[in-house]
Amino acid sequence: SKCLFCDVTVGVELSRKKNYCFVRLCLFPLLSVMATDLGTCAQCARVLFIIINLLFVALGLTSLGIGIWFVVQADNFGEALTGSGFVSAGALFIIVGGVTFIVAALGCLGAACKLRSLLLIYVIVIVIIIILEIAAAIVAFVFREEITDEIADRMRVAIADFREPDDPDHSEEVNDGVEFVQRTFDCCGADNATDWLTLNPNFICLNSAPPPSCDCNFEVTPDACATFTGMVQCPGFMQPYNFTVWSGGCIDETRDDLETLGYVVGGIAIAFGAIEILGLVLALGLCIAIHQSLENVTV
C-alpha cells in the first residue's frame, strides 16, 4: 500500500509539473502580451481596426448570401442564356465571402489578443487579396465588351430555339430562361420584337405573336410599348401578324442594368480597397506597437 501511495504521489507531482510548464511556457507569454500597454494612439488604432474587421465579417457573410443567390438565379435564367457564368460568379462570391469572413475574424482575434503572428498573417493575406482584386478589375475592364456580346449571342440562340411545349424539340430550360429575362427586364427579343419574326418565324406562324412575357399594356405604359404589324413567311403561305409588345430589346435593357451595376460595383470596390489599405496600415502599426511594448516590458 505504501508503494501504491508513492506511485500516486509521484503521478500527481508529474501532472502538476506538466500543468505548470504549460502555463509557464504557453499561457504566460500570451497573458503577458495581452496585458501590455500599447499607449493611447495604438489603443485607438486597435479599436478602429477591430471595428473595420467586424464590418468585413458582416460583408463576408453578405457576399456568401449573394453567391448563393447567383447560384439560385442560374436556375431561373437557364444555362442556355448564362452558360456557367452565373454559377461561376456565385462560386466566386461564395469563395470571396468565405475568405473575407475568415481573414476578418483572424484580424479581430489578432488585435483583441495583441498577437503579432495573426496580424502578420492578416497583412500577408490582405496584400494578396488587393493584388488579386486589381488583376480582376483589369480583366473585367478589358473583356467587358466580350461579356456583353456573349450574352447577346446566347439570347439570340435561345429565341431561335424557343418551342411550344408539345414540340419534340421543346426545352423547358430555354423557354423558362427567355421568359424570365423578358418578364424581368420588360423587353422583347434580343434587339427588339422583330427578332421573333426573323429568328423564330414558325413560332409566330403558330401563335401570331411572341410569347406572353413580351406583352405590354399600352394603356398603362404607352411610351414603353410598340405595335408591330405585317406579314410573316410561313411554310407555303404568308400570315399576317399584329401585336403590341415591349418596344425595347433585352440586350439594351440588360446592358443598361449591367452598366449601372458595374458603376455601383466599381464604386463599392474602390471604397473596399481604401478600407483594406487602411486595415493593412493599422495592422502594420499594431505589429510595431506590440513589438515595442514587449521590448519595454522585457527591459
Side-chain angles (χ1 to χ4, degrees):
S1 59
K2 183 181 291 185
C3 292
L4 178 61
F5 175 77
C6 291
D7 291 340
V8 172
T9 304
V10 171
V12 171
E13 288 297 323
L14 289 174
S15 177
R16 288 177 177 175
K17 287 183 179 181
K18 288 180 180 179
N19 292 335
Y20 173 78
C21 291
F22 174 75
V23 173
R24 178 67 180 172
L25 298 177
C26 300
L27 292 182
F28 181 75
L30 175 60
L31 295 175
S32 63
V33 170
M34 293 178 65
T36 55
D37 185 13
L38 297 180
T40 304
C41 292
Q43 287 287 10
C44 291
R46 179 172 168 236
V47 172
L48 178 60
F49 180 79
I50 292 175
I51 293 174
I52 289 174
N53 281 279
L54 287 176
L55 175 63
F56 274 113
V57 167
L59 291 174
L61 294 175
T62 302
S63 181
L64 283 172
I66 293 174
I68 295 172
W69 179 85
F70 265 100
V71 174
V72 173
Q73 288 299 95
D75 293 334
N76 291 331
F77 277 92
E79 187 177 354
L81 294 182
T82 63
S84 59
F86 262 52
V87 177
S88 299
L92 179 61
F93 269 101
I94 291 173
I95 294 172
V96 170
V99 171
T100 301
F101 175 81
I102 294 172
V103 173
L106 199 67
C108 287
L109 181 62
C113 298
K114 302 177 186 176
L115 299 176
R116 285 184 299 166
S117 58
L118 292 183
L119 291 174
L120 287 174
I121 294 173
Y122 176 89
V123 168
I124 293 172
V125 175
I126 287 295
V127 169
I128 295 174
I129 289 175
I130 291 175
I131 293 173
L132 291 177
E133 286 175 344
I134 293 174
I138 293 173
V139 170
F141 178 79
V142 172
F143 293 101
R144 65 189 187 283
E145 293 297 334
E146 285 79 356
I147 295 173
T148 303
D149 293 341
E150 177 69 14
I151 295 175
D153 291 341
R154 286 183 176 274
M155 183 66 185
R156 294 187 182 98
V157 171
I159 290 173
D161 293 339
F162 197 95
R163 295 290 186 274
E164 288 288 345
D166 57 352
D167 192 295
D169 296 328
H170 167 75
S171 170
E172 185 176 353
E173 185 179 76
V174 171
N175 285 26
D176 289 347
V178 173
E179 293 271 35
F180 180 82
V181 172
Q182 293 186 148
R183 189 179 299 110
T184 301
F185 295 98
D186 293 338
C187 56
C188 187
D191 297 295
N192 55 52
T194 58
D195 288 332
W196 287 97
L197 300 170
T198 57
L199 299 175
N200 197 345
N202 288 336
F203 186 86
I204 303 298
C205 291
L206 294 173
N207 299 275
S208 302
S213 56
C214 280
D215 292 347
C216 177
N217 192 331
F218 191 83
E219 295 181 357
V220 177
T221 55
D223 295 336
C225 300
T227 299
F228 294 83
T229 304
M231 303 288 290
V232 61
Q233 178 65 56
C234 298
F237 65 96
M238 297 292 291
Q239 177 172 307
Y241 61 85
N242 185 355
F243 50 81
T244 300
V245 294
W246 297 108
S247 59
C250 294
I251 295 175
D252 290 335
E253 297 295 333
T254 55
R255 181 185 290 116
D256 292 341
D257 282 9
L258 289 174
E259 287 181 356
T260 302
L261 180 62
Y263 289 127
V264 173
V265 172
I268 294 174
I270 293 173
F272 283 172
I275 296 175
E276 286 172 345
I277 294 173
L278 176 61
L280 181 64
V281 172
L282 290 174
L284 290 172
L286 284 174
C287 287
I288 296 172
I290 293 171
H291 178 72
Q292 291 176 345
S293 65
L294 287 175
E295 285 185 340
N296 293 335
V297 170
T298 304
V299 174

